[in-house]
Amino acid sequence: MVEVLADEGGVRVIRCVGDFDLDVLAPLTAACEAAAADPGVAKVVLDVSAVGFADSMFLNRLLWMRRQQPTVLAGPLPTRLLRLLQLTGALSVFTIADDVEAARAV
Protein backbone atom coordinates (compact mmCIF):
# COMPACT_ATOMS: atom_id res chain seq x y z
CA MET A 1 0.00 0.00 0.00
CA VAL A 2 1.12 3.52 -0.74
CA GLU A 3 -0.34 6.50 1.06
CA VAL A 4 0.46 10.12 0.24
CA LEU A 5 0.11 12.43 3.23
CA ALA A 6 -0.80 16.10 3.01
CA ASP A 7 2.13 18.35 2.08
CA GLU A 8 3.55 20.50 4.87
CA GLY A 9 5.99 23.29 4.11
CA GLY A 10 6.97 21.87 0.73
CA VAL A 11 7.55 18.37 2.12
CA ARG A 12 5.58 15.45 0.73
CA VAL A 13 5.45 12.23 2.72
CA ILE A 14 4.88 8.98 0.87
CA ARG A 15 4.19 6.07 3.23
CA CYS A 16 5.03 2.58 1.96
CA VAL A 17 3.43 -0.39 3.72
CA GLY A 18 3.80 -4.07 2.86
CA ASP A 19 5.73 -5.93 0.20
CA PHE A 20 7.07 -4.21 -2.91
CA ASP A 21 8.09 -5.92 -6.12
CA LEU A 22 7.45 -5.33 -9.81
CA ASP A 23 3.85 -6.55 -9.56
CA VAL A 24 2.80 -3.95 -6.97
CA LEU A 25 5.10 -1.03 -7.73
CA ALA A 26 2.64 1.03 -9.81
CA PRO A 27 1.12 3.06 -6.92
CA LEU A 28 4.59 4.00 -5.64
CA THR A 29 5.70 4.94 -9.13
CA ALA A 30 2.63 7.15 -9.57
CA ALA A 31 3.16 8.84 -6.18
CA CYS A 32 6.84 9.49 -6.89
CA GLU A 33 6.19 10.85 -10.37
CA ALA A 34 3.47 13.16 -9.04
CA ALA A 35 5.82 14.47 -6.35
CA ALA A 36 8.60 15.06 -8.88
CA ALA A 37 6.23 16.95 -11.18
CA ASP A 38 4.76 19.17 -8.46
CA PRO A 39 6.66 22.48 -8.24
CA GLY A 40 5.38 22.97 -4.68
CA VAL A 41 7.27 19.91 -3.44
CA ALA A 42 10.80 20.75 -2.33
CA LYS A 43 11.55 17.47 -0.55
CA VAL A 44 10.11 13.97 -0.43
CA VAL A 45 10.06 11.80 2.67
CA LEU A 46 9.63 8.13 1.91
CA ASP A 47 8.36 6.41 5.03
CA VAL A 48 9.73 2.90 4.61
CA SER A 49 9.34 1.80 8.23
CA ALA A 50 6.56 -0.67 7.36
CA VAL A 51 8.08 -2.25 4.24
CA GLY A 52 8.07 -6.02 4.63
CA PHE A 53 9.87 -6.95 1.42
CA ALA A 54 11.57 -4.87 -1.24
CA ASP A 55 13.22 -6.03 -4.45
CA SER A 56 15.55 -4.31 -6.90
CA MET A 57 12.64 -2.56 -8.62
CA PHE A 58 11.71 -0.89 -5.34
CA LEU A 59 15.33 0.15 -4.89
CA ASN A 60 15.39 1.54 -8.43
CA ARG A 61 12.31 3.64 -7.63
CA LEU A 62 13.98 5.02 -4.49
CA LEU A 63 17.11 5.89 -6.44
CA TRP A 64 15.03 7.51 -9.20
CA MET A 65 13.22 9.65 -6.64
CA ARG A 66 16.52 10.70 -5.10
CA ARG A 67 17.72 11.92 -8.51
CA GLN A 68 14.57 14.02 -8.99
CA GLN A 69 14.71 16.01 -5.75
CA PRO A 70 15.94 15.82 -2.17
CA THR A 71 14.66 12.57 -0.68
CA VAL A 72 14.86 11.28 2.89
CA LEU A 73 14.08 7.74 3.98
CA ALA A 74 12.15 7.67 7.25
CA GLY A 75 12.72 4.62 9.40
CA PRO A 76 13.42 2.78 11.37
CA LEU A 77 14.60 0.79 8.38
CA PRO A 78 13.22 -2.76 8.35
CA THR A 79 15.92 -5.43 8.49
CA ARG A 80 15.28 -6.73 4.96
CA LEU A 81 15.37 -3.26 3.41
CA LEU A 82 18.47 -2.33 5.37
CA ARG A 83 20.16 -5.48 4.12
CA LEU A 84 19.20 -4.68 0.49
CA LEU A 85 20.64 -1.18 0.83
CA GLN A 86 23.82 -2.54 2.41
CA LEU A 87 24.34 -5.31 -0.17
CA THR A 88 23.91 -2.94 -3.10
CA GLY A 89 25.99 -0.14 -1.62
CA ALA A 90 22.99 2.18 -1.81
CA LEU A 91 22.84 2.82 1.94
CA SER A 92 25.50 5.51 1.68
CA VAL A 93 23.61 7.56 -0.93
CA PHE A 94 20.45 8.09 1.11
CA THR A 95 19.73 10.46 3.93
CA ILE A 96 18.03 8.38 6.62
CA ALA A 97 16.04 9.68 9.58
CA ASP A 98 14.67 7.86 12.61
CA ASP A 99 11.04 8.68 11.78
CA VAL A 100 8.83 10.91 9.63
CA GLU A 101 9.04 13.94 11.91
CA ALA A 102 12.83 13.79 12.00
CA ALA A 103 12.87 13.34 8.22
CA ARG A 104 10.75 16.46 7.71
CA ALA A 105 13.34 18.47 9.67
CA VAL A 106 16.40 17.22 7.75
Side-chain angles (χ1 to χ4, degrees):
M1 176 186 84
V2 173
E3 178 184 11
V4 178
L5 306 182
D7 294 355
E8 290 181 24
V11 178
R12 178 159 304 168
V13 176
I14 301 172
R15 180 170 290 143
C16 302
V17 178
D19 296 343
F20 288 86
D21 61 19
L22 179 60
D23 294 332
V24 296
L25 202 60
L28 177 60
T29 298
C32 287
E33 289 176 352
D38 188 333
V41 175
K43 177 172 63 178
V44 171
V45 172
L46 291 168
D47 180 356
V48 295
S49 61
V51 171
F53 170 81
D55 69 1
S56 61
M57 295 304 292
F58 182 78
L59 176 59
N60 283 336
R61 182 52 48 194
L62 298 184
L63 291 167
W64 180 89
M65 190 70 246
R66 184 184 165 277
R67 287 189 304 271
Q68 303 309 306
Q69 61 193 166
T71 301
V72 179
L73 300 183
L77 295 182
T79 303
R80 289 175 139 182
L81 179 57
L82 176 60
R83 187 76 177 134
L84 175 66
L85 295 173
Q86 289 170 330
L87 287 172
T88 60
L91 185 62
S92 64
V93 303
F94 287 103
T95 301
I96 300 170
D98 291 337
D99 57 30
V100 170
E101 291 311 310
R104 285 182 190 274
V106 171

